[in-house]
Short mmCIF file of all heavy atoms in Angstrom, two decimals:
data_model
loop_
_atom_site.label_atom_id
_atom_site.label_comp_id
_atom_site.label_asym_id
_atom_site.label_seq_id
_atom_site.Cartn_x
_atom_site.Cartn_y
_atom_site.Cartn_z
N LEU B 307 68.20 52.34 -5.24
CA LEU B 307 68.23 52.91 -3.90
C LEU B 307 69.61 52.69 -3.35
O LEU B 307 70.19 53.73 -2.75
CB LEU B 307 67.29 52.29 -3.11
CG LEU B 307 67.09 52.84 -1.64
CD1 LEU B 307 66.79 54.34 -1.65
CD2 LEU B 307 66.20 52.10 -0.78
N ARG B 308 70.20 51.57 -3.42
CA ARG B 308 71.41 51.24 -2.91
C ARG B 308 72.55 52.10 -3.58
O ARG B 308 73.46 52.59 -2.94
CB ARG B 308 71.75 49.73 -2.91
CG ARG B 308 73.12 49.46 -2.10
CD ARG B 308 73.21 48.01 -1.67
NE ARG B 308 73.30 47.06 -2.79
CZ ARG B 308 73.32 45.79 -2.62
NH1 ARG B 308 73.34 45.27 -1.33
NH2 ARG B 308 73.45 45.02 -3.67
N THR B 309 72.48 52.17 -4.83
CA THR B 309 73.41 52.90 -5.52
C THR B 309 73.39 54.35 -5.16
O THR B 309 74.46 55.00 -4.91
CB THR B 309 73.18 52.88 -6.98
OG1 THR B 309 73.14 51.44 -7.45
CG2 THR B 309 74.24 53.44 -7.91
N MET B 310 72.15 54.85 -5.04
CA MET B 310 72.02 56.27 -4.72
C MET B 310 72.54 56.55 -3.32
O MET B 310 73.30 57.46 -3.16
CB MET B 310 70.57 56.72 -4.77
CG MET B 310 70.34 58.22 -4.59
SD MET B 310 69.08 58.55 -3.31
CE MET B 310 69.89 58.28 -1.90
N LEU B 311 72.32 55.59 -2.47
CA LEU B 311 72.76 55.92 -1.13
C LEU B 311 74.26 55.89 -0.98
O LEU B 311 74.92 56.84 -0.41
CB LEU B 311 72.23 54.86 -0.12
CG LEU B 311 72.53 55.01 1.36
CD1 LEU B 311 71.82 56.29 1.79
CD2 LEU B 311 71.89 53.91 2.12
N ILE B 312 74.90 54.90 -1.65
CA ILE B 312 76.29 54.80 -1.58
C ILE B 312 76.95 55.91 -2.37
O ILE B 312 77.97 56.58 -1.77
CB ILE B 312 76.83 53.47 -2.11
CG1 ILE B 312 76.17 52.38 -1.27
CG2 ILE B 312 78.37 53.29 -2.14
CD1 ILE B 312 76.53 52.27 0.19
N THR B 313 76.56 56.24 -3.55
CA THR B 313 77.23 57.15 -4.32
C THR B 313 77.05 58.65 -3.69
O THR B 313 77.99 59.48 -3.87
CB THR B 313 76.62 57.27 -5.71
OG1 THR B 313 76.15 56.03 -6.15
CG2 THR B 313 77.60 57.91 -6.84
N HIS B 314 75.99 58.83 -3.02
CA HIS B 314 75.72 60.23 -2.54
C HIS B 314 75.87 60.30 -1.02
O HIS B 314 75.27 61.34 -0.66
CB HIS B 314 74.34 60.61 -3.09
CG HIS B 314 74.31 60.78 -4.62
ND1 HIS B 314 74.69 61.78 -5.29
CD2 HIS B 314 73.96 59.85 -5.50
CE1 HIS B 314 74.58 61.55 -6.53
NE2 HIS B 314 74.06 60.41 -6.75
N MET B 315 76.33 59.39 -0.37
CA MET B 315 76.44 59.37 0.99
C MET B 315 77.20 60.71 1.50
O MET B 315 76.80 61.35 2.43
CB MET B 315 77.31 58.21 1.61
CG MET B 315 76.92 57.76 3.01
SD MET B 315 77.71 56.25 3.41
CE MET B 315 76.42 55.16 3.32
N GLN B 316 78.28 60.95 0.81
CA GLN B 316 79.04 62.14 1.04
C GLN B 316 78.20 63.44 0.90
O GLN B 316 78.20 64.30 1.70
CB GLN B 316 80.32 62.17 0.23
CG GLN B 316 81.29 63.24 0.51
CD GLN B 316 81.81 63.16 1.86
OE1 GLN B 316 81.79 62.08 2.41
NE2 GLN B 316 82.17 64.29 2.40
N ASP B 317 77.40 63.43 -0.26
CA ASP B 317 76.62 64.67 -0.50
C ASP B 317 75.62 64.80 0.62
O ASP B 317 75.24 65.96 0.93
CB ASP B 317 75.97 64.52 -1.94
CG ASP B 317 75.33 65.79 -2.29
OD1 ASP B 317 75.95 66.83 -2.35
OD2 ASP B 317 74.13 65.79 -2.44
N LEU B 318 74.90 63.62 1.05
CA LEU B 318 73.88 63.81 1.97
C LEU B 318 74.52 64.45 3.30
O LEU B 318 73.86 65.15 3.87
CB LEU B 318 73.32 62.41 2.28
CG LEU B 318 72.42 61.78 1.18
CD1 LEU B 318 72.26 60.39 1.34
CD2 LEU B 318 70.96 62.46 1.45
N GLN B 319 75.73 63.93 3.62
CA GLN B 319 76.40 64.56 4.78
C GLN B 319 76.65 66.09 4.56
O GLN B 319 76.35 66.85 5.49
CB GLN B 319 77.58 63.85 5.06
CG GLN B 319 77.45 62.47 5.82
CD GLN B 319 78.72 61.82 6.01
OE1 GLN B 319 79.69 61.97 5.22
NE2 GLN B 319 78.76 61.04 7.00
N GLU B 320 77.05 66.43 3.45
CA GLU B 320 77.31 67.83 3.17
C GLU B 320 76.13 68.69 3.26
O GLU B 320 76.14 69.71 3.90
CB GLU B 320 77.88 67.89 1.75
CG GLU B 320 79.43 68.01 1.86
CD GLU B 320 79.99 68.08 0.42
OE1 GLU B 320 79.37 68.91 -0.40
OE2 GLU B 320 80.94 67.33 0.08
N VAL B 321 75.03 68.22 2.62
CA VAL B 321 73.77 68.99 2.61
C VAL B 321 73.27 69.20 4.11
O VAL B 321 72.73 70.19 4.40
CB VAL B 321 72.67 68.45 1.78
CG1 VAL B 321 71.41 69.01 1.84
CG2 VAL B 321 73.11 68.41 0.28
N THR B 322 73.45 68.05 4.85
CA THR B 322 73.05 68.09 6.30
C THR B 322 73.87 69.24 7.01
O THR B 322 73.25 70.05 7.74
CB THR B 322 73.18 66.80 6.98
OG1 THR B 322 72.55 65.75 6.24
CG2 THR B 322 72.64 66.87 8.30
N GLN B 323 75.22 69.16 6.70
CA GLN B 323 75.97 70.19 7.38
C GLN B 323 75.77 71.57 6.84
O GLN B 323 75.59 72.54 7.66
CB GLN B 323 77.49 69.73 7.05
CG GLN B 323 78.55 70.87 7.46
CD GLN B 323 78.76 71.02 8.93
OE1 GLN B 323 78.57 70.09 9.74
NE2 GLN B 323 79.08 72.20 9.30
N ASP B 324 75.71 71.83 5.55
CA ASP B 324 75.71 73.20 5.00
C ASP B 324 74.30 73.68 5.01
O ASP B 324 74.19 75.02 4.94
CB ASP B 324 76.17 73.15 3.56
CG ASP B 324 77.69 72.64 3.50
OD1 ASP B 324 78.37 72.75 4.54
OD2 ASP B 324 78.18 72.23 2.39
N LEU B 325 73.23 73.00 4.92
CA LEU B 325 72.02 73.56 4.76
C LEU B 325 71.13 73.34 6.10
O LEU B 325 70.76 74.37 6.75
CB LEU B 325 71.18 72.88 3.63
CG LEU B 325 69.81 73.34 3.29
CD1 LEU B 325 69.76 74.74 2.91
CD2 LEU B 325 69.20 72.49 2.19
N HIS B 326 70.91 72.03 6.49
CA HIS B 326 69.96 71.87 7.57
C HIS B 326 70.57 72.31 8.81
O HIS B 326 69.92 73.01 9.75
CB HIS B 326 69.52 70.40 7.63
CG HIS B 326 68.83 69.94 6.35
ND1 HIS B 326 67.78 70.46 6.00
CD2 HIS B 326 69.21 69.01 5.47
CE1 HIS B 326 67.39 69.79 4.80
NE2 HIS B 326 68.25 68.90 4.52
N TYR B 327 71.77 71.97 9.14
CA TYR B 327 72.51 72.31 10.36
C TYR B 327 72.65 73.82 10.47
O TYR B 327 72.40 74.39 11.51
CB TYR B 327 73.81 71.58 10.55
CG TYR B 327 74.63 72.06 11.72
CD1 TYR B 327 74.15 71.83 12.94
CD2 TYR B 327 75.75 72.76 11.56
CE1 TYR B 327 74.89 72.25 14.10
CE2 TYR B 327 76.49 73.14 12.69
CZ TYR B 327 76.02 72.87 13.94
OH TYR B 327 76.68 73.31 15.07
N GLU B 328 73.01 74.40 9.38
CA GLU B 328 73.21 75.91 9.47
C GLU B 328 71.94 76.58 9.59
O GLU B 328 71.81 77.61 10.27
CB GLU B 328 73.84 76.46 8.16
CG GLU B 328 75.33 76.04 7.90
CD GLU B 328 76.16 76.59 9.02
OE1 GLU B 328 76.01 77.79 9.51
OE2 GLU B 328 77.02 75.76 9.63
#
Side-chain angles (χ1 to χ4, degrees):
Chain B
L307 178 65
R308 184 154 67 182
T309 309
M310 187 225 78
L311 186 62
I312 300 299
T313 326
H314 298 274
M315 205 174 260
Q316 186 60 28
D317 185 63
L318 284 161
Q319 283 178 325
E320 266 179 42
V321 174
T322 307
Q323 165 77 26
D324 298 338
L325 181 64
H326 301 298
Y327 174 66
E328 287 303 318

